[in-house]
Amino acid sequence: MNQKVLQTLEYDKIKQQIARYLVTPRGQQILAQLTPSADMAVIQTGLARTKDALDVWRLKTDLPLPKLSDIGSQLKRLKIGAVLNGKELAAITKVLRAAGRIQRFFEQLAEDEITLQSLDQLAQQLETLPALTKTLLRSLESDGHLTDDASTKLAAVRRSIRQTELHLRSQLNSLIRGKNAKYLSEPVITIRDDRYVIPVKQEYRTHFGGVVHDQSASGQTLFIEPAVAVELNNRLKEHQANEREETRRILRELSAALAPYITELAENYRILGEFDFASAKARYAMQIKATEPKISADNQLYLRQAWHPLLDQHQAVRNDLLLGKDYQTIVITGPNTGGKTITLKTLGLIQLMGQSGLFIPAYEGSRLGIFNEVFADIGDEQSIEQSLSTFSSHMTNIVNLLKKSNQHSLVLLDELGAGTDPQEGAALAIAILDALAASGAEIVATTHYPELKAYAYERPGTINASMEFNSQTLQPTYRLLVGVPGQSNAFEISQRLGLPADIVTAARNLTSQQDQDLNQMIQDLVQKRQQAEEEKRQLQEHLDEATVLHQELSQNFDKFNQQREQLLQQAKTKANLLVDEATQKAAQIIDQLRQLRLSAGQGVKEDQLISAKTKLDQLHQPVALPQNRVLRRVKRDQQLRSGDDVMVKPYDQAGVLLEKTGNHQWEVQLGSLKMRVAEDNLEKIKVTPQASKIRSSFKSTSQAHVSTTLDLRGERYEAALTRVDRYLDAALLAGYGSVTIVHGKGTGALRSGITKYLQQNRRVKSFKAAPANAGGSGATIVELK
């Protein structure tokens, strides 16, 4: 990409804004080398890393990347076998620690099932060297100072130094206190020539003995190492020498341990710079609310509500721009200060940003092409007094780009043909546009010449555009109107500024009728477009409201379905528990009845049957009914009172209530038999006069006849299974150990259904087909428990 267009479109200012978010020298190097690329793979990788970093920032936080130092010089020294000092080793340690943090961070993202496109793969390339990193972290502090844990000997030497210093200070403190203080200039302990001394007055220099190391500027104070401190100072110096030697040994060992990994360390440093650069791009994108562009291989541009990234995003006007699909060239006409130049710069700079792997200041869904070159001939000084030298400069640029432009070029031309005779300038502009179009380049050009309006209308693949101007306020709106040529609005502006009407009228008469008709047509187009825009805005508002409502309804519907499924699952689980519990209790009751039958050796007594049946009926769980007046009235009518006619549901017999014997129990007269029945097993009925004359009769189960054979032939499937269920209950109560169910052969559906039922019935011990002389496969013999 040519450097001139980068300078013209202020590409470096974008890089300066990104630089504020960098924390590593390598990231700064990558940014400094950044230029737009024409390689699809490079562009896609850059955009993918920007998106990954942005997704990480939105979902988690910023990458755990600290400020790092450049370790290039340290690696060069390691390569030649040099020993690194503590600060140099600490810088490398910080790189290794950062590599480990980054790798663990992306492993956590993978565990959280966060899908990325590129950065996770980049993190896998890091060499963390955990054992070596642990050794370095144990041995070095962040400022490069060796810790006591670096070696056992170093810890012992430092302990000796501290003890010796403590003893030495104690000895000197005893000298500077009490009666000896009068011999001192100050009662303090200080250091000269790395030895502990005290400040003694000149006249008492021999009082403490020892060695003089220094004197004050006036000569009145001598810094003396007392005789009692000489041995201790010598011992301290020896310990300090041992510490220096051990420090050199440790640094030498650590440097030697790092030397085999020079390549890995350099690669880690490079990769961390890539992470730093991706993070900076993401944070810049968040700052300007940029979005990821799609990349078109056939150079079809579509900028949706784009704005210039160097302008205040809250005030910048957003415009749509389409190029390369329906038309190859856009000619923007209209007066100065309308925003034509900033529109050119916006398009060019956004294209450069996209080809650099940066997100762009436009709405989602925007699309960019891939151009080998972007040419821009844009003059910031827009004056009516353009000189010949300015025209010559523009022509020089145009001649250069005409030589280099092709189907992979984007050409931006500002005020094409300006600076010379209008007629000649318009002719030159048309010829230049034709030549550029013939080369296959995509072109956006601005001009004042009205001749180019007709050119854009007549040429295939070319379209007019203009910057909207509000004739009421005499102010530009900076909105791009594609498909509408610009107009000067000179007459309207002059009249509103106070130019006499007769002068304006005279000026109108001097213009050709064709020009007046053209301006009127443009004005009508602008008004119609404004009307269409207003209608579009209103429709969009309604659409947005409908969309929000639809989303809310969809969310609520999904929530309702989820809650319904949860409630159904809970209800099924609870029902299964109740069924299991009821089945167990019923089985216990039936077992009790069987035990009673076996122990008695004869039929079970009636009161025992009633008690067992009552227990079975109590397994039924009542359902709470809604509270309303109709139900309350029905419930009130169903309330039991003494003397009411009732149906005893377990025996399907009518009786009369005598009295309440408990909270939920009544004494009932069933013919000549009195019994206590649970309230839940009673149903209030109305007995007609004829029916009241009929005496109720009751047969005990022992007397009732229950056949050992159930004939289901001709029954429907559901009714047959219901009869089987009731029949087995009766057979069990009758004490039968074996019964026969006749279902016939037919299609086999009834036999299959009965077989499934018997397999699931816990009261069935076993079953088999009847013998050939007893029905064969048309009957089933069932053994009961």
Side-chain angles (χ1 to χ4, degrees), residues 3-20:
Q3 291 299 315
K4 186 179 187 311
V5 74
L6 301 181
Q7 181 180 358
T8 301
L9 298 178
E10 301 177 294
Y11 180 76
D12 282 344
K13 289 187 177 180
I14 301 297
K15 293 168 66 172
Q16 290 171 10
Q17 293 190 1
I18 296 174
R20 294 181 296 172

Side-chain angles (χ1 to χ4, degrees), residues 554-695:
S554 297
Q555 292 173 358
N556 291 333
F557 182 70
D558 292 340
K559 188 182 296 183
F560 165 75
N561 284 334
Q562 292 176 359
Q563 291 177 348
R564 182 180 65 179
E565 289 298 326
Q566 291 175 357
L567 291 174
L568 283 174
Q569 291 300 326
Q570 293 173 2
K572 289 178 180 178
T573 302
K574 190 172 182 180
N576 289 335
L577 292 174
L578 291 174
V579 168
D580 292 342
E581 183 180 355
T583 303
Q584 292 175 0
K585 290 182 178 179
Q588 291 174 0
I589 293 170
I590 293 172
D591 289 341
Q592 291 174 3
L593 288 173
R594 185 177 294 108
Q595 293 298 326
L596 286 172
R597 181 176 63 81
L598 295 174
S599 62
Q602 56 185 357
V604 182
K605 296 181 179 179
E606 193 67 35
D607 61 336
Q608 293 174 332
L609 287 174
I610 294 172
S611 175
K613 187 63 177 176
T614 301
K615 291 179 180 179
L616 285 171
D617 290 333
Q618 287 175 347
L619 297 180
H620 175 74
Q621 299 298 317
V623 179
L625 297 175
Q627 299 295 321
N628 58 58
R629 287 183 297 177
V630 176
L631 292 176
R632 284 199 299 268
R633 184 169 63 251
V634 172
K635 187 176 181 180
R636 186 172 60 250
D637 293 341
Q638 289 293 329
Q639 287 182 351
L640 301 177
R641 299 179 181 83
S642 298
D644 285 346
D645 293 308
V646 295
M647 177 64 69
V648 182
K649 292 185 286 186
Y651 310 106
D652 198 23
Q653 296 288 333
V656 179
L657 292 180
L658 298 179
E659 63 177 345
K660 195 169 187 178
T661 59
N663 289 336
H664 301 287
Q665 203 170 42
W666 287 80
E667 187 176 37
V668 184
Q669 181 75 45
L670 289 176
S672 60
L673 181 66
K674 292 182 181 179
M675 63 177 64
R676 291 182 180 180
V677 183
E679 194 173 71
D680 292 340
N681 292 327
L682 299 174
E683 181 181 352
K684 190 173 181 180
I685 61 173
K686 291 184 179 180
V687 181
T688 60
Q690 293 81 2
S692 63
K693 296 178 182 178
I694 301 174
R695 298 181 63 84

Side-chain angles (χ1 to χ4, degrees), residues 305-602:
Q305 293 295 288
W307 69 95
H308 197 284
L310 299 179
L311 296 178
D312 185 348
Q313 58 182 302
H314 300 294
Q315 298 179 0
V317 177
R318 290 162 168 74
N319 282 307
D320 292 339
L321 201 149
L322 187 64
L323 184 64
K325 182 179 181 182
D326 297 325
Y327 32 84
Q328 177 187 356
T329 304
I330 298 177
V331 177
I332 306 176
T333 53
N336 286 328
T337 70
K340 298 192 302 296
T341 301
I342 198 67
T343 300
L344 287 182
K345 287 188 172 183
T346 300
L347 169 60
L349 186 54
I350 286 178
Q351 180 61 47
L352 296 180
M353 290 175 66
Q355 290 189 220
S356 302
L358 305 176
F359 279 20
I360 62 173
Y363 286 3
E364 291 184 357
S366 295
R367 183 173 61 249
L368 297 175
I370 301 179
F371 297 100
N372 293 336
E373 284 290 353
V374 176
F375 298 104
D377 182 56
I378 299 175
D380 290 331
E381 296 296 328
Q382 300 181 30
S383 170
I384 61 172
E385 298 177 352
Q386 293 178 358
S387 64
L388 180 61
S389 59
T390 302
F391 175 75
S392 299
S393 175
H394 281 294
M395 282 300 104
T396 301
N397 292 335
I398 291 172
V399 168
N400 181 54
L401 64 89
L402 280 170
K403 293 178 181 178
K404 298 179 180 179
S405 62
N406 53 37
Q407 67 270 24
H408 300 296
S409 301
L410 174 64
V411 180
L412 308 174
L413 302 172
D414 190 29
E415 301 297 347
L416 181 60
T420 186
D421 177 77
Q423 187 174 0
E424 293 180 353
L428 274 173
I430 292 173
I432 291 169
L433 289 177
D434 281 340
L436 288 172
S439 71
E442 295 183 14
I443 312 149
V444 181
T446 69
T447 182
H448 284 292
Y449 297 134
E451 290 86 350
L452 290 180
K453 300 175 186 177
Y455 167 85
Y457 180 76
E458 294 170 351
R459 290 295 196 279
T462 305
I463 193 169
N464 272 305
S466 61
M467 304 307 298
E468 186 180 52
F469 189 88
N470 191 326
S471 58
Q472 301 296 322
T473 62
L474 304 182
Q475 293 292 328
T477 64
Y478 305 107
R479 297 180 61 205
L480 180 66
L481 305 179
V482 178
V484 179
Q487 55 180 334
S488 66
N489 299 297
F491 297 145
E492 289 78 5
I493 295 174
S494 300
Q495 189 168 1
R496 287 186 177 277
L497 291 176
L499 191 67
D502 56 340
I503 297 178
V504 174
T505 302
R508 288 185 187 276
N509 293 333
L510 291 175
T511 59
S512 66
Q513 185 62 40
Q514 183 179 2
D515 290 340
Q516 293 184 33
D517 292 342
L518 178 60
N519 284 330
Q520 185 62 42
M521 177 192 70
I522 294 173
Q523 188 173 358
D524 291 342
L525 283 173
V526 171
Q527 291 176 353
K528 289 179 180 179
R529 182 184 180 91
Q530 290 173 343
Q531 182 180 357
E533 289 286 342
E534 179 62 24
E535 292 176 355
K536 177 183 176 182
R537 184 189 63 79
Q538 295 176 359
L539 289 173
Q540 187 63 43
E541 289 179 357
H542 294 318
L543 178 60
D544 292 342
E545 293 175 359
T547 302
V548 171
L549 180 60
H550 176 71
Q551 291 175 348
E552 291 178 354
L553 289 174
S554 297
Q555 292 173 358
N556 291 333
F557 182 70
D558 292 340
K559 188 182 296 183
F560 165 75
N561 284 334
Q562 292 176 359
Q563 291 177 348
R564 182 180 65 179
E565 289 298 326
Q566 291 175 357
L567 291 174
L568 283 174
Q569 291 300 326
Q570 293 173 2
K572 289 178 180 178
T573 302
K574 190 172 182 180
N576 289 335
L577 292 174
L578 291 174
V579 168
D580 292 342
E581 183 180 355
T583 303
Q584 292 175 0
K585 290 182 178 179
Q588 291 174 0
I589 293 170
I590 293 172
D591 289 341
Q592 291 174 3
L593 288 173
R594 185 177 294 108
Q595 293 298 326
L596 286 172
R597 181 176 63 81
L598 295 174
S599 62
Q602 56 185 357

Side-chain angles (χ1 to χ4, degrees), residues 146 221 646 778:
L146 286 177
T221 301
V646 295

